[in-house]
Amino acid sequence: MIPALKALSRRSTLAITILVVAAVGLGWMWVRSRSAAQEYTTKPVERGEVRSVVNATGTVQAFLTVQVGSQVSGQLEALHADYNSVVKRGQLLAKLDPRNYQAALDGAKANLSSAQAREHSAEADLNSQIASLQSAQANVQSAQVTRDNSARILARYEELNQQGILSQNDYDTAKSNADTAAAKYTQAVAQVQQQEAQIKSSQAQLEQAKAQVEQAAASLKQAEVNLEYTNIHSPVDGVVISRNVDVGQTVAASLSAPTLFIIANDLEKMQVHASVDEADIGTISQSADVSFTVDAYPNRTFRGTISEIRLEPQSVQNVVTYTVIIDVNNERLELKPGMTANIAITVADERDVLRIPNTALRYLPAGTTREQVSQMIREAPGGAAASEGKAMPSARAGEAGRGAAEPSQRGAWPGASGSKPAATPEQVAADRTAAAEEALAPGQMWDPAAKIQFPHQEQLPVRPAIVWVLGKDTKPEPRHVVVGITDGTATQMVSGELKEGDAVIVGDNIQVAATASQAGGGGGGGFGGGRGVPFGGR
């Protein structure tokens, strides 16, 4: 019984082994059959338009926005403007309590009057000292005459005394009178000198009084200015878009002027401040076509013109951007300050050209490496020159430039909608300068025409590439092409070994299966042979 069971067990093991081997063989044959039946996905080369667009976001702002503040502190007494109020330059917007500043003004006036009185007193004292000097000088002359006369009398008496004619008593009297007259003369001269010193002192006191008058006058002017600052006036014509105070609120202007109102100069002329990445700023010029949308009007496309590309870089989280100013006509007042704009800047627009799908430029057949493709490009005729990134003239460069020079056709500021004769670049520049000068706020003295202008890019970059088509044996064959701009989906074919309607390979079933397998196992891969950006692309 036991030997029979052992024989049965050996036969069962052999049968299982045969079944496993057969299953493996069938699986291998199935895989071979699937490989032999490899399928390719193709798309035709079509003719159409390719637009190279730089996308950015920005904020809608008024062409000129002025923050109105207060230079003095105080309690808000009255408001004469509110949100959306239309104001004129010099119009009263708000008034602070003026009592403290009025009291300071009255005190300054009193100080000025007191200083002026001291000046008059010093001037009168100086005049008195001058009169005293004149009297002292007269005394000097009188004393001199008396001194000289006494000296002559003494000289005659000395001769008479020597001759013995004159008595000694008369001689002594004459000598005493001469000495007295000389002493009085000396005293008169000293009085003159003393009076001159007093005059100099009075003149200094008068100058000091005049300086005090000027100081008091300056304090009075400062008090008058501070009192005027209690009246907040509009510096420009415009519309109040923000009011940050209410009646009764205390305004403190100790360290910085608080913002009371924000006034937009003209809401019919708006600007969009767009942030453009540093990788795209080199392709943008002031002749580029600009369109954008805002969330408030999702089905409406607005157009504008680039008026300025600011050279100041902004770095946020290691991302460098530049601010591009876009002028927009807002005659219907649809755009409001602060709206977020989704901007599309057309840097190149090629129409009626052959379009190659970007997936075809990314496709590589199984077993082909990117290094092999690079070698194929270098070995192709003209491939080395094409690999150096040569540029080609834009078929629409002149047209794009003329389009940008016709703001009326774009519905952009300056200019209104409707057909107009094509303007020259000089006319457009003059219009922009005149419009900018008109929009300048008082005190802005720069020349808009003196700003740097960035020219339109007349040469478009091209690059070589390889695409694959099915040969007669249904195997991928390479085709050399030179491609230009791309819109993210298709790329312009400048020249190459393709014609309209040719089918290019964009993927195959083996790579799809491999991608699905990698995705199921936690790996990642591209769909349809997607292996990075188009070869030779950015």
Side-chain angles (χ1 to χ4, degrees):
M1 185 67 180
I2 293 177
L5 291 175
K6 289 182 179 181
L8 180 60
S9 176
R10 285 195 297 269
R11 287 195 296 271
S12 299
T13 302
L14 180 60
I16 293 173
T17 302
I18 293 173
L19 290 175
V20 171
V21 172
V24 171
L26 290 175
W28 180 78
M29 294 177 61
W30 181 81
V31 171
R32 288 290 303 273
S33 64
R34 292 288 294 177
S35 299
Q38 182 176 1
E39 297 178 356
Y40 296 92
T41 303
T42 61
K43 287 186 178 180
V45 175
E46 301 175 337
R47 185 172 294 276
E49 179 183 9
V50 179
R51 298 174 65 246
S52 180
V53 177
V54 173
N55 295 313
T57 58
T59 304
V60 178
Q61 299 183 15
F63 190 85
L64 176 65
T65 301
V66 180
Q67 296 183 355
V68 181
S70 174
Q71 297 193 31
V72 296
S73 302
Q75 189 178 46
L76 196 65
E77 185 178 80
L79 282 174
H80 297 269
D82 195 10
Y83 291 96
N84 299 343
S85 295
V86 179
V87 296
K88 297 295 183 180
R89 182 182 180 185
Q91 178 178 334
L92 183 64
L93 302 179
K95 185 177 181 63
L96 301 178
D97 186 358
R99 289 177 294 179
N100 290 337
Y101 300 98
Q102 183 64 52
L105 177 61
D106 295 339
K109 289 181 179 179
N111 292 335
L112 178 60
S113 299
S114 177
Q116 289 173 341
R118 288 193 295 271
E119 180 186 7
H120 295 326
S121 176
E123 187 176 0
D125 185 60
L126 176 61
N127 293 332
S128 176
Q129 296 295 336
I130 292 175
S132 298
L133 175 62
Q134 293 174 350
S135 176
Q137 290 173 345
N139 291 335
V140 168
Q141 293 177 356
S142 176
Q144 184 178 4
V145 172
T146 303
R147 183 199 65 177
D148 294 343
N149 185 44
S150 298
R152 287 192 297 271
I153 293 174
L154 178 60
R156 289 195 297 269
Y157 277 15
E158 285 180 350
E159 294 178 357
L160 294 175
N161 187 29
Q162 291 176 359
Q163 296 175 3
I165 300 174
L166 185 66
S167 64
Q168 186 64 35
N169 186 35
D170 291 338
Y171 173 77
D172 292 339
T173 300
K175 188 174 187 312
S176 176
N177 291 337
D179 293 340
T180 301
K184 287 183 178 180
Y185 173 77
T186 302
Q187 182 181 6
V189 172
Q191 288 179 351
V192 169
Q193 294 175 350
Q194 181 182 4
Q195 202 63 40
E196 288 176 349
Q198 290 179 352
I199 287 176
K200 290 181 179 180
S201 176
S202 297
Q203 288 175 341
Q205 291 177 358
L206 178 60
E207 294 298 329
Q208 182 179 6
K210 289 182 178 179
Q212 291 176 350
V213 170
E214 292 179 357
Q215 183 178 4
S219 299
L220 176 61
K221 290 182 179 180
Q222 182 65 52
E224 290 175 346
V225 170
N226 289 338
L227 181 60
E228 292 177 359
Y229 281 154
T230 60
N231 297 320
I232 312 299
H233 296 90
S234 173
V236 294
D237 298 341
V239 178
V240 177
I241 62 176
S242 176
R243 174 175 63 83
N244 302 323
V245 290
D246 291 296
V247 175
Q249 182 175 343
T250 300
V251 176
S254 56
L255 297 179
S256 60
T259 301
L260 309 183
F261 300 90
I262 298 178
I263 300 177
N265 177 254
D266 187 359
L267 294 181
E268 293 185 359
K269 300 172 184 177
M270 302 292 284
Q271 285 185 336
V272 178
H273 291 208
S275 297
V276 179
D277 188 88
E278 62 174 327
D280 299 320
I281 196 67
T283 62
I284 295 176
S285 67
Q286 291 176 297
S287 61
D289 186 15
V290 181
S291 63
F292 65 93
T293 60
V294 295
D295 293 340
Y297 310 100
N299 298 325
R300 174 80 184 277
T301 299
F302 298 89
R303 293 191 176 275
T305 56
I306 296 177
S307 63
E308 186 177 15
I309 303 174
R310 294 182 177 172
L311 300 178
E312 179 186 11
Q314 303 289 338
S315 181
V316 179
Q317 296 181 350
N318 295 328
V319 177
V320 179
T321 60
Y322 292 86
T323 300
V324 176
I325 307 301
I326 303 170
D327 293 336
V328 184
N329 191 336
N330 191 37
E331 293 180 350
R332 299 170 60 181
L333 301 180
E334 295 175 320
L335 299 175
K336 298 172 177 58
M339 286 184 171
T340 300
N342 300 311
I343 306 163
I345 304 175
T346 302
V347 297
D349 185 3
E350 298 294 330
R351 301 178 183 177
D352 194 25
V353 296
L354 294 180
R355 295 161 38 96
I356 301 176
N358 285 354
T359 50
L361 295 168
R362 291 194 294 264
Y363 174 77
L364 289 178
T368 304
T369 64
R370 199 170 293 277
E371 289 73 17
Q372 293 174 338
V373 173
S374 300
Q375 183 64 28
M376 294 169 60
I377 292 176
R378 287 191 295 269
E379 293 176 353
S387 300
E388 296 176 358
K390 300 294 183 180
M392 59 165 284
S394 171
R396 291 181 48 82
E399 183 178 348
R402 290 190 298 272
E406 300 172 7
S408 60
Q409 297 180 2
R410 300 180 182 275
W413 176 82
S417 58
S419 60
K420 280 176 132 184
T424 64
E426 292 76 12
Q427 292 173 340
V428 174
D431 292 342
R432 285 178 173 170
T433 301
E437 289 177 346
E438 180 183 355
L440 289 177
Q444 295 179 347
M445 308 302 296
W446 60 76
D447 182 9
K451 294 188 176 182
I452 188 173
Q453 304 290 324
F454 293 92
H456 178 73
Q457 186 177 3
E458 300 292 341
Q459 301 291 327
L460 299 178
V462 297
R463 61 187 185 277
I466 294 289
V467 294
W468 302 83
V469 300
L470 291 177
K472 296 180 179 180
D473 56 353
T474 66
K475 297 296 183 181
E477 293 182 357
R479 294 290 185 269
H480 294 270
V481 293
V482 176
V483 295
I485 63 174
T486 179
D487 59 8
T489 303
T491 299
Q492 171 199 9
M493 190 187 82
V494 178
S495 61
E497 302 172 346
L498 293 175
K499 60 181 183 299
E500 183 178 359
D502 288 350
V504 292
I505 303 176
V506 297
D508 57 55
N509 58 345
I510 292 182
Q511 295 186 13
V512 172
T515 301
S517 175
Q518 292 176 3
F527 174 76
R531 300 182 180 181
V533 298
F535 182 79
R538 295 185 339 189

